[in-house]
């Protein structure tokens, strides 16, 4: 098969965030999260949303200087979640969230519909607080009023891949973040 860096050379529109930039920002986010929760007594459960947040999740939790629990959820959207806002839980949470502080870790906030759903999901299950850390934010596309609490970077309204984000399950293992040329995904 073709090497990934060759594929990137032909498919990339723009290099948005390189490895060093990502690493520095993730360290800052970890610090902010640590400072935010350090005076809290309730347990902190950091919930990664599979599969897009996997790389960000692994790097972020290593920069949170507090005892935490981790858990994962997998969500799939019916058709395009952007249009319908209907999501399906493919893998449910295992932790009991009652009375706990929940930090949702996402790859990107796009329309905001997935996050809104998750926010209500945790609130209904009795979480004490629900906050969101997302590596990327695409505010131009927002359809529901929701904002993250610990955001890595704002990105333009392009199709973005790498560092966990995919197009048709590809590009997730790129250590940097790029936008794709339109002809690749249209
Ligand atoms: P939302 O419900 O529209 O906010 O959808 C968020 C989800 O859509 C993210 O968790 C991603 O999995 C996916 N997504 C949105 N924009 C992009 C993108 O530019 N590249 C890759 N995945 C994206
Ligand atoms: Mg996702």
């Amino acid at each position: 098969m073709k090497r990934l860096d060759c594929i990137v050379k032909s498919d990339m529109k723009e290099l948005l965030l390189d490895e060093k930039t990502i690493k520095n920002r993730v360290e800052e986010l970890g610090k902010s999260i640590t400072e935010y929760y350090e005076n809290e007594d309730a347990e902190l459960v950091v919930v990664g949303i599979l599969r897009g947040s996997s790389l960000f999740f692994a790097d972020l939790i290593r920069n949170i200087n507090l005892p935490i629990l981790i858990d994962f959820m997998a969500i799939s959207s019916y058709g395009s979640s952007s249009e319908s806002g209907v999501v399906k839980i493919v893998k449910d949470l295992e932790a009991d969230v009652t009375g706990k502080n929940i930090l949702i870790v996402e790859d990107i906030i796009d329309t905001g519909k997935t996050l809104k759903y998750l926010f209500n999901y945790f609130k209904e299950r009795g979480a004490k607080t629900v906050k969101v850390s997302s590596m990327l934010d695409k505010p131009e596309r927002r359809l529901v009023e929701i904002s993250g609490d610990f955001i890595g970077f704002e990105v333009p309204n392009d199709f973005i891949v790498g560092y966990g984000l995919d197009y048709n399950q590809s590009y997730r293992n790129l250590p940097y973040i790029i936008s794709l040329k339109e002809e690749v995904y249209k």
Side-chain angles (χ1 to χ4, degrees):
M1 60 179 96
K2 255 195 186 170
R3 290 206 176 188
L4 190 55
D5 55 2
C6 288
I7 298 170
V8 166
K9 243 178 227 156
S10 70
D11 292 357
M12 181 171 79
K13 178 178 172 190
E14 204 184 332
L15 172 66
L16 296 176
L17 302 159
D18 64 23
E19 281 186 75
K20 188 79 196 124
T21 307
I22 293 171
K23 184 172 183 286
N24 289 341
R25 186 67 186 127
V26 173
E27 284 172 11
E28 287 175 1
L29 289 176
K31 251 190 210 141
S32 305
I33 291 167
T34 302
E35 285 165 10
Y36 183 82
Y37 288 105
E38 72 183 335
N39 296 317
E40 269 289 329
D41 289 326
E43 276 184 307
L44 174 59
V45 187
V46 184
V47 180
I49 308 305
L50 299 171
R51 283 165 267 185
S53 77
S54 53
L55 276 66
F56 175 48
F57 184 92
D59 289 339
L60 183 67
I61 61 171
R62 278 179 279 192
N63 285 286
I64 301 176
N65 188 11
L66 296 170
I68 60 165
L69 301 173
I70 66 168
D71 208 338
F72 298 95
M73 282 179 82
I75 304 286
S76 93
S77 39
Y78 289 108
S80 162
S81 76
S82 315
E83 315 311 319
S84 64
V86 183
V87 304
K88 183 176 123 189
I89 296 174
V90 175
K91 186 221 168 288
D92 207 345
L93 206 72
E94 288 174 40
D96 175 14
V97 304
T98 319
K100 293 176 184 161
N101 292 314
I102 304 300
L103 179 65
I104 302 170
V105 177
E106 257 284 30
D107 51 0
I108 186 167
I109 311 175
D110 190 30
T111 64
K113 288 184 174 178
T114 306
L115 212 52
K116 186 160 193 214
Y117 173 87
L118 287 170
F119 193 86
N120 293 333
Y121 172 96
F122 287 113
K123 275 292 181 190
E124 277 166 19
R125 276 159 189 77
K128 185 182 176 196
T129 65
V130 185
K131 298 280 171 191
V132 177
S133 181
S134 182
M135 181 66 203
L136 304 177
D137 187 7
K138 220 193 254 180
E140 252 184 82
R141 291 252 309 161
R142 199 76 90 251
L143 292 177
V144 299
E145 219 178 297
I146 197 153
S147 61
D149 303 283
F150 307 96
I151 298 294
F153 303 93
E154 275 193 15
V155 287
N157 188 10
D158 280 325
F159 203 92
I160 290 156
V161 297
Y163 195 61
L165 289 103
D166 74 305
Y167 172 64
N168 277 346
Q169 301 305 329
S170 290
Y171 310 96
R172 287 199 200 272
N173 56 326
L174 289 177
Y176 45 84
I177 293 173
I178 64 169
S179 56
L180 291 178
K181 289 178 186 162
E182 253 184 55
E183 67 247 36
V184 178
Y185 60 90
K186 282 226 164 120

